Amino acid sequence: MLTPATSISSLPDVGPRRGERLSKLGIRTVLDLLYTLPFRYEDRRGVPSIENLREGEPQGFLATVSSIRKKEIRKLRVPVIEAILSDGSGSIKAVWFGQEYILKALPESAHAFFFGRIEYSEFDRSIVVKSPVFEKVDPGQKGRKSFHVNRIVPVYRESLGLTSSFFRKLMGETLLSLWGSDFDPLPESIRKKYVFDSWLKMIVGLHFPADIPSGGSLESLLDPSYPPRKRLIYEEFFLLEFLMFQKKADIRAQGRSNQYRIAPEDFTHFSSSLPFSLTNAQKKVMGEISADLEKDYPMNRLLLGDVGSGKTVIAAWALYLAIKSGFQCALMAPTEILAKQHEKTLSHLFSPLGLTPSLLTNSVKGSERKAIVSGVHSGQISLLVGTQALIQESLNFSCLGLVVIDEQHRFGVDQRRTLMGKGSQPDTLLMTATPIPRSLALSYYGDMDLSILDEKPPGRLPVQTRISRSDNDFWDRIVRPFLERGEQVFVVCPLIEESDVIEAKDASSHWEFLSTYFSPVEVGLLTGRMPYESREEMMSRFRSGEILMLVSTTVIEVGVDIPNATVMVVESAERFGLAQLHQLRGRVGRGSLPGFFFLLPGEGASDEAIARLHVLEESDDGFLVAEEDLRSRGPGEFLGTRQSGAPAFICADLLRDFDTLQSVRMDVRNFLQEGDSQRADHQKWVWAWTTVTDFIRSRYTGVEEWIRVR
Ligand code: ADP
Ligand code: MG
């Protein structure tokens, strides 16, 4: 019996060749097939007789082939197939070009349904139909409905030689074989609540709509409010959120293995050692973290905070509590510059508390490295800060209790998991400054608890943002005065070296230009390709103020904190995502002087691309910028290739359908709280649910990344 889980290769219409092509398109099971939706519909209803056909419109009609023949016309390279089609009312000529198989497919006296554009032909002095599609109808089976004609028909994207009409027939046959199936991945209580049709009705409605919704047009079948689509959007969110909630429940079921000792005076002790007073948002998040550490399951928290919102001190608080409770901690950052900066900051913060962090990066070598590896192994080192070097196999902790990952989106799930695997169910705090829109955060990180730092430390002026032209006037009139006052300038380019392929400013040649232009002022160059030592030296010369202008690539994107840097100029700015630009903007205006952010579009930048940049002129709110970025580039782009496996929804759209997502989250929570026994349809549902889950897993390659199994 055919079920949604049946392999596509066992369908009668699918031979080995088509099976292979379908599987290349990711279609392996009946479910995969049925979730391959048409991208538009055609209204092929209503069957006029031939005498009533109207010129100039695509129409369908039923006719018998009176005669059919092949004609060679010298001017045309291909043979012409000509047929006379008749019904009781009259006849019409049909022509096809080069499709010789039609001679066989439509022998004389064949009865078929034809659909095509009706045109007037000067030559014939009558109407003809050119290249109509057709489907033979057995006159003995008049009642049998055709998939291709006499109805609203779906049109599918053609790919790898698989035609739309092949898909249509396959869908139709498959649906007929599934007839009566009560497969449904949505539980009955949910279906009742929203008065959703059954799954099968939904699928039929998506492929073979019986009618156009009242008051709508053919296009309204593509609208998210068309009931079958509405249900599908809900279904997609429901299934994905369900996976998230389960993941979360699994983590909680593990229980806690590391017991913390947190005393009421810890907070006072910690905060009084700081050189500033904490913002309310910081205090709130710190409270959330200490509460997590006392729960009976491991902390699994994501901290979202705009650039400059003060996440480092939050990390320090978690680290402090863990170290005080006798655990080792690891703090991993994506670049050496950032790891080193964290090590410095933490040394300062922790010196009144008598703690010293150790630093491990790939440039720590020889005996120094050996000492660190053995110190970590013996437990002597309680706080290790570093880069990817922390996940090397040879590094073993004696009691790793807390893992903090800064700029976590820069790491793959494997890297995060490897580090966590070095402890026994360690508590984890992931931090990210790429402001993820709330909608994405909720759905992509639904298995984690979220903390949001939505308040910046006081006294910081917003960075002024301007779109400008890259010309001598700009460098002379606008940038030079900053340098003369001793303020520091970042210049960011999208490329390291000149490229033949991409037309954008590259750091190396731009550095040569600016060095000459501002001579004798020394201009520094920093790219990810330079050896670590040179980068480090350049960074420290810039930090000390010895160099006033630094040309670089986005290596300085994350974390870098230089209070005297007031200006950032971004070349070929349209090449960057808005969220990334916002992140870059966070590098300036970190001290007491106001910051300036200049966006210089490249010569080939489109008006549209420049218009997008205006969002940054208008808003300093990272979340708003991120929403806009999501709107213009879609979630896949937004999360970047590192987060591949971001689900491409079939029908749902995180922004457009955000309200639905919110209700789904509530529903899933309630559903999980109901007992199994209350659900009469439980077994059946579990089966449907598992099948669809498998479907989701196979559909979204790397979905592990997405649901972040750890
Ligand atoms: P983020 O990592 O969130 O971008 P940082 O932790 O690097 O931000 O903090 C940015 C700057 O703000 C640092 O120089 C830090 O010392 C400072 N800072 C953090 N919290 C406060 C606060 N409550 N008051 C004043 N300055 C703060
Ligand atoms: Mg930071």
Side-chain angles (χ1 to χ4, degrees):
M1 208 191 85
L2 198 64
T3 79
T6 306
S7 158
I8 207 83
S9 55
S10 59
L11 299 180
D13 281 335
V14 180
R17 260 186 50 191
R18 279 174 167 167
E20 201 173 299
R21 288 178 192 177
L22 284 168
S23 109
K24 273 194 189 133
L25 296 175
I27 301 172
R28 293 181 188 86
T29 64
V30 164
L31 207 57
D32 294 336
L33 178 73
L34 296 177
Y35 280 127
T36 304
L37 300 189
F39 70 100
R40 64 183 179 89
Y41 300 89
E42 261 176 37
D43 193 350
R44 298 185 185 171
R45 294 174 301 179
V47 191
S49 56
I50 290 178
E51 67 175 353
N52 289 330
L53 288 174
R54 288 179 309 273
E55 186 194 325
E57 281 175 44
Q59 279 160 87
F61 58 95
L62 212 49
T64 307
V65 179
S66 305
S67 67
I68 186 159
R69 62 184 180 129
K70 180 165 102 172
K71 260 170 68 175
E72 303 284 351
I73 297 180
R74 220 178 300 140
K75 271 196 295 186
L76 296 175
R77 297 234 180 94
V78 292
V80 175
I81 312 296
E82 236 182 50
I84 303 296
L85 312 173
S86 329
D87 64 5
S89 73
S91 52
I92 183 171
K93 190 196 267 185
V95 287
W96 292 269
F97 303 94
Q99 292 157 276
E100 273 188 73
Y101 73 92
I102 287 170
L103 283 175
K104 273 212 187 95
L106 277 181
E108 233 162 76
S109 79
H111 193 58
F113 196 99
F114 297 86
F115 185 87
R117 182 175 290 278
I118 313 295
E119 292 172 26
Y120 182 78
S121 154
E122 282 296 342
F123 180 76
D124 294 298
R125 293 183 172 269
S126 70
I127 53 165
V128 299
V129 57
K130 281 193 186 149
S131 306
V133 292
F134 58 88
E135 183 181 347
K136 275 198 277 187
V137 181
D138 184 345
Q141 279 192 336
K142 277 221 178 78
R144 187 180 174 279
K145 275 192 125 186
S146 154
F147 300 131
H148 304 279
V149 287
N150 219 359
R151 64 171 348 129
I152 295 171
V153 297
V155 183
Y156 301 89
R157 287 206 192 286
E158 308 200 326
S159 187
L160 305 177
L162 300 170
T163 63
S164 172
S165 79
F166 163 74
F167 276 112
R168 189 182 303 134
K169 176 150 186 284
L170 193 59
M171 294 295 173
E173 300 288 358
T174 306
L175 281 170
L176 286 180
S177 320
L178 274 177
W179 211 249
S181 159
D182 58 1
F183 177 89
D184 206 317
L186 283 184
E188 202 172 318
S189 54
I190 298 286
R191 275 173 0 231
K192 282 212 177 103
K193 176 171 174 187
Y194 292 95
V195 206
F196 283 140
D197 270 338
S198 70
W199 179 82
L200 194 64
K201 271 197 169 165
M202 167 186 83
I203 294 288
V204 171
L206 290 167
H207 293 282
F208 295 101
D211 209 344
I212 288 170
S214 66
S217 62
L218 203 57
E219 280 72 47
S220 46
L221 295 170
L222 295 167
D223 203 87
S225 63
Y226 174 51
R229 279 183 203 273
K230 204 168 160 179
R231 186 195 134 130
L232 181 56
I233 291 166
Y234 187 97
E235 188 185 298
E236 286 194 273
F237 283 149
F238 185 87
L239 294 164
L240 298 171
E241 288 306 321
F242 199 97
L243 285 175
M244 289 292 192
F245 275 88
Q246 267 199 335
K247 192 71 227 150
K248 201 167 185 169
D250 287 351
I251 292 170
R252 295 194 170 178
Q254 288 173 6
R256 165 171 290 285
S257 51
N258 306 318
Q259 298 304 328
Y260 281 71
R261 290 183 296 271
I262 301 178
E265 61 275 13
D266 285 344
F267 180 76
T268 333
H269 190 205
F270 177 82
S271 56
S272 62
S273 74
L274 298 174
F276 44 74
S277 53
L278 294 159
T279 64
N280 286 329
Q282 283 171 324
K283 284 186 206 158
K284 182 172 139 260
V285 174
M286 287 163 73
E288 287 165 351
I289 289 173
S290 46
D292 277 359
L293 298 176
E294 289 184 307
K295 288 192 178 133
D296 54 7
Y297 50 86
M299 170 165 80
N300 184 32
R301 186 167 286 279
L302 175 68
L303 172 57
L304 297 179
D306 210 343
V307 270
S309 56
K311 292 183 290 298
T312 316
V313 68
I314 308 269
W317 165 243
L319 296 167
Y320 168 73
L321 293 177
I323 295 166
K324 238 196 82 243
S325 305
F327 302 116
Q328 285 181 300
C329 304
L331 167 60
M332 183 161 75
T335 64
E336 303 203 40
I337 292 173
L338 193 52
K340 185 133 195 190
Q341 189 177 287
H342 278 325
E343 185 238 352
K344 231 186 217 152
T345 310
L346 292 174
S347 300
H348 280 301
L349 284 179
F350 286 154
S351 72
L353 309 166
L355 287 170
T356 320
S358 302
L359 180 71
L360 182 64
T361 67
N362 285 336
S363 26
V364 176
K365 295 202 168 86
S367 56
E368 202 185 338
R369 187 177 198 94
K370 264 198 192 133
I372 289 178
V373 171
S374 84
V376 168
H377 187 65
S378 69
Q380 228 171 350
I381 291 179
S382 52
L383 173 53
L384 185 63
V385 178
T387 55
Q388 280 85 339
L390 300 196
I391 58 182
Q392 63 183 286
E393 227 171 283
S394 57
L395 188 70
N396 294 303
F397 289 79
S398 77
C399 56
L400 179 63
L402 173 68
V403 167
V404 180
I405 300 181
D406 194 18
E407 308 293 348
Q408 62 88 22
H409 62 286
R410 289 283 192 120
F411 294 97
V413 73
D414 287 342
Q415 293 175 309
R416 297 191 292 242
R417 203 185 305 170
T418 308
L419 185 55
M420 292 165 193
K422 289 181 183 286
S424 148
Q425 296 161 17
D427 292 279
T428 53
L429 176 64
L430 305 188
M431 308 201 290
T432 202
T434 301
I436 304 167
R438 266 161 242 265
S439 52
L440 269 192
L442 273 175
S443 51
Y444 285 76
Y445 300 101
D447 62 329
M448 307 192 80
D449 294 306
L450 280 191
S451 285
I452 297 180
L453 269 187
D454 49 9
E455 180 189 357
K456 287 194 185 177
R460 213 164 284 153
L461 298 162
V463 176
Q464 298 256 353
T465 300
R466 288 283 168 273
I467 300 174
S468 304
R469 283 162 54 100
S470 176
D471 52 20
N472 287 355
D473 183 58
F474 171 77
W475 294 108
D476 233 25
R477 201 169 52 81
I478 301 189
V479 177
R480 197 183 289 278
F482 286 101
L483 297 173
E484 282 169 358
R485 287 198 298 272
E487 295 177 35
Q488 292 177 287
V489 178
F490 286 107
V491 179
V492 179
C493 299
L495 304 175
I496 298 181
E497 281 159 2
E498 206 173 333
S499 156
D500 294 337
V501 197
I502 307 164
E503 208 193 297
K505 278 263 165 44
D506 68 282
S508 308
S509 8
H510 206 38
W511 169 72
E512 279 174 27
F513 164 74
L514 292 171
S515 297
T516 320
Y517 197 87
F518 288 108
S519 166
V521 172
E522 191 183 348
V523 178
L525 174 67
L526 184 78
T527 73
R529 213 173 279 167
M530 288 160 50
Y532 174 68
E533 289 76 20
S534 332
R535 269 189 282 160
E536 213 15 66
E537 194 199 326
M538 187 56 73
M539 230 27 229
S540 73
R541 290 179 68 202
F542 191 64
R543 192 173 282 125
S544 70
E546 189 187 326
I547 288 180
L548 291 183
M549 181 181 263
L550 184 65
V551 179
S552 80
T553 53
T554 51
V555 279
I556 48 109
E557 174 187 340
V558 291
V560 174
D561 189 18
I562 298 180
N564 192 43
T566 53
V567 178
M568 179 176 286
V569 179
V570 183
E571 292 280 2
S572 307
E574 79 285 357
R575 300 213 152 254
F576 298 90
L578 294 179
Q580 195 181 12
L581 288 170
H582 179 74
Q583 180 82 18
L584 283 166
R585 176 162 65 179
R587 302 300 119 228
V588 290
R590 295 173 81 90
S592 51
L593 293 168
F596 295 88
F597 189 56
F598 295 103
L599 298 167
L600 311 183
E603 274 166 30
S606 68
D607 291 348
E608 204 179 315
I610 295 173
R612 202 169 52 96
L613 297 176
H614 283 292
V615 174
L616 290 163
E617 274 190 331
E618 280 146 29
S619 177
D620 191 38
D621 177 346
F623 288 101
L624 201 138
V625 169
E627 295 271 349
E628 194 50 45
D629 216 16
L630 177 63
R631 215 184 307 275
S632 59
R633 297 194 301 158
E637 274 274 325
F638 186 86
L639 292 171
T641 45
R642 288 183 206 87
Q643 301 269 346
S644 67
F649 291 106
I650 305 169
C651 215
D653 177 318
L654 284 169
L655 282 181
R656 185 193 65 201
D657 306 322
F658 188 54
D659 292 346
T660 306
L661 178 63
Q662 301 274 54
S663 351
V664 167
R665 290 177 60 80
M666 297 278 285
D667 292 341
V668 170
R669 191 168 308 162
N670 293 338
F671 179 68
L672 283 171
Q673 277 161 7
E674 286 170 26
D676 279 4
S677 55
Q678 283 168 273
R679 305 202 293 258
D681 59 344
H682 188 67
Q683 279 311 317
K684 210 171 67 196
W685 175 76
V686 166
W687 176 74
W689 189 79
T690 317
T691 308
V692 177
T693 306
D694 285 348
F695 159 70
I696 290 171
R697 283 182 198 280
S698 68
R699 180 181 160 88
Y700 307 127
T701 44
V703 72
E704 295 286 282
E705 163 82 345
W706 179 71
I707 50 173
R708 301 169 5 70
V709 175
R710 40 173 252 185

